[in-house]
Amino acid sequence: MFSHVHIDTARAADLLYGLLSPELYLIFVRDRGWSPDAWEEWARTALIAHLCTAHE
């Protein structure tokens, strides 16, 4: 189970907006040659690291 890290709503929205933006996706996939699957895994891992923490 995951719970939110102590982060305010505005910061969480900024992270979601930035990490999931079409522009960043295109930089990684089109310009840098990442596969869509590699980008998806990176985005998922980054969002979990910034927005969630393991809950025991």
Side-chain angles (χ1 to χ4, degrees), residues 33-46:
W34 286 35
S35 71
D37 288 339
W39 178 86
E40 183 179 329
E41 176 64 21
W42 169 81
R44 183 185 67 78
T45 300

Side-chain angles (χ1 to χ4, degrees), residues 27-55:
I27 289 169
F28 278 78
V29 175
R30 181 191 62 201
D31 299 343
R32 302 299 306 154
W34 286 35
S35 71
D37 288 339
W39 178 86
E40 183 179 329
E41 176 64 21
W42 169 81
R44 183 185 67 78
T45 300
L47 289 171
I48 288 171
H50 286 284
L51 299 176
C52 302
T53 184
H55 185 275

Side-chain angles (χ1 to χ4, degrees), residues 6-19 47 50-51:
H6 299 289
I7 185 171
D8 65 39
T9 304
R11 177 61 60 100
D14 290 345
L15 289 168
L16 286 167
Y17 181 78
L19 288 172
L47 289 171
H50 286 284
L51 299 176

